[in-house]
Amino acid sequence: MRIWIAAGGTGGHIYPALAVAEALQDVEPDLEVIWVGAPEGMEARLIPSRGFAFLPVEAGGVYGLGPRGALRGLWRIARGVRQAWQAMARQRPQVLFTTGGFAAVPAALAAARAGVPILVYLPDLEPGMAVRLLARLAAHVAVTAPEAQPFFRGRPVTVTGYPVRRRLMAAARDREAARRRGRARWGFAEDLPVVLVFGGSRGARRLNRAVDRHLEALVMEAQVLHLTGPADLERMQARRAALPSEVRARYQPVAYLEEEMGEALAMADLAVCRAGASTLGELPLFGLPAVLVPYPYVRRHQERNAAYLVRHGGAVRIPDEEIEERLGEVVRTLLQDPDRLLGMRRSMAALARPEAAERLAALVQRLAAPAPYPEKRPAQGRAG
């Protein structure tokens, strides 16, 4: 069996697809996974390092780029469809799995033209333009939570939960050992809580400014592991150096975590973060209460994600424009109320669906068609 996975652009699209690719390998070791993505996207670097074949296909964004930018994006999509169509004639995948994003559009359009079944998975609770388009071409749609089902009326929909990567799953299964490793790795004491602050692979400037403003107050209450992103790392390292020597070890800024993220989530007592799709899977998996600060410039995706976790009792939401003023007060209030924090932890854990990757892998296998191609196949040729 050969499967195409089309996902790229941001970690929000890549990481859930990567979790499904890992689950597919676990259940069917002889299965061949080919990852289709943009040649300049983070997927072009990340995916080959994980041992998967990578097929570069041109793609471009359209939304919010103005008329000239949209035309350029459409031209790149058209070129990408041709490249994907030619590659599909040679490789003959039996199913296409996608998590959306503009990087997935050319491969999905080519698959629809060739009659290859498409499984679309929506990581967030509200679909963006790409997922709305691709869902119309899909044989099946999968979603993270029941609240997303109404967006796909008339389509076959399965609620799977959010798929979490293998390394994070391993840390969650043996959380106590991962917690001890994390505290030892960053030199944190056992008798103080840990606050984990993160804003995605590139960090979040607003969260970084909030930590900068409240750092002295934060380290009086807790130990802080701060994923700054590369742009602000040097500045926050300088802030750490300026802290009094007796509390300096309580603050550890790092640019970004991949392999060690499971330890960070396992050892934390509270997270302060954006409300990207990964929060719907990773925070519940570790039962980690959160202060969510939705990023206001991605339509309504993060607002809906945050509202879901708040409504179920696992998080509190602070508007982006208020976090710089309120971070210290909010964190202190939560840490000084252990009963409330315990209730949030239990509520967050109740949302976990640790079998999500396996459920999605089973859907991929079920949809795989043995010979989906029409009699008249696309002409042989090289991908661009």
Side-chain angles (χ1 to χ4, degrees), residues 65-348:
L65 299 177
R68 185 172 296 181
L71 284 173
R72 186 162 46 246
L74 288 171
W75 173 248
R76 296 196 68 193
I77 288 171
R79 284 173 54 86
V81 171
R82 178 176 175 272
Q83 293 166 359
W85 174 248
Q86 292 174 335
M88 193 165 276
R90 299 191 305 272
Q91 297 176 357
R92 297 174 60 81
Q94 292 158 299
V95 65
L96 172 76
F97 172 69
T98 179
T99 55
F102 71 83
V105 171
L109 291 176
R113 183 182 176 193
V116 176
I118 299 170
L119 172 61
V120 172
Y121 166 65
L122 171 64
D124 292 289
L125 292 183
E126 179 173 337
M129 289 182 64
V131 168
R132 290 175 190 269
L133 167 66
L134 300 182
R136 297 177 184 176
L137 309 174
H140 205 93
V141 176
V143 296
T144 295
E147 282 84 343
Q149 288 180 286
F151 291 104
F152 304 104
R153 296 189 190 280
R155 308 299 302 172
V157 180
T158 298
V159 179
T160 61
Y162 181 96
V164 177
R165 288 170 284 154
R166 187 184 289 155
R167 287 214 174 232
L168 298 189
M169 290 296 301
R173 278 194 296 268
D174 195 355
R175 185 177 170 187
E176 181 56 29
R179 185 193 70 80
R180 290 195 301 268
R181 289 197 306 272
R183 293 210 175 210
R185 181 187 299 277
W186 288 290
F188 287 154
E190 290 287 342
D191 59 347
L192 274 177
V194 173
V195 176
L196 173 63
V197 183
F198 61 99
S201 58
R202 288 176 288 186
R205 184 59 57 87
R206 181 87 76 171
L207 295 187
N208 293 349
R209 289 202 300 259
V211 172
D212 191 349
R213 178 170 177 175
H214 295 272
L215 185 55
E216 284 77 10
L218 290 171
V219 296
M220 294 304 295
E221 298 288 337
Q223 302 164 113
V224 180
L225 179 61
H226 181 192
L227 280 58
T228 65
D232 283 337
L233 178 62
E234 188 174 341
R235 178 169 63 87
M236 297 311 296
Q237 286 174 330
R239 281 288 280 122
R240 180 182 187 276
L243 287 171
S245 58
E246 62 270 20
V247 295
R248 193 173 301 147
R250 297 182 182 180
Y251 176 64
Q252 297 293 344
V254 297
Y256 181 61
L257 296 176
E258 275 193 23
E259 303 303 324
E260 306 90 350
M261 191 63 184
E263 295 174 0
L265 291 163
M267 74 171 179
D269 298 282
L270 178 68
V272 178
C273 57
R274 293 300 193 189
S278 64
T279 61
L280 300 174
E282 294 172 5
L283 298 182
L285 182 67
F286 288 88
L288 181 56
V291 176
L292 298 176
V293 188
Y295 186 57
Y297 305 110
V298 285
R299 304 182 82 182
R300 295 183 301 174
H301 298 103
Q302 293 205 8
E303 288 290 349
R304 281 190 177 271
N305 295 344
Y308 170 78
L309 294 175
V310 170
R311 185 167 61 253
H312 286 276
V316 297
R317 174 194 170 277
I318 307 297
D320 184 73
E321 65 273 14
E322 295 180 15
I323 192 62
E324 288 186 64
E325 178 70 29
R326 297 180 56 193
L327 176 64
E329 162 225 337
V330 171
V331 169
R332 181 174 61 253
T333 298
L334 288 172
L335 292 181
Q336 291 181 355
D337 190 345
D339 290 339
R340 182 183 180 189
L341 211 58
L342 178 61
M344 291 173 66
R345 179 177 292 282
R346 288 172 174 166
S347 296
M348 188 69 87

Side-chain angles (χ1 to χ4, degrees), residues 360-383:
L360 280 160
L363 277 174
V364 170
Q365 290 179 295
R366 195 177 79 197
L367 288 175
Y373 298 92
E375 287 297 320
K376 186 178 179 181
R377 299 190 186 106
Q380 300 288 325
R382 297 175 57 194

Side-chain angles (χ1 to χ4, degrees), residues 10-30:
T10 67
H13 294 296
I14 295 169
Y15 285 121
L18 184 58
V20 175
E22 292 172 341
L24 284 165
Q25 280 191 328
D26 289 342
V27 298
E28 195 165 338
D30 293 334

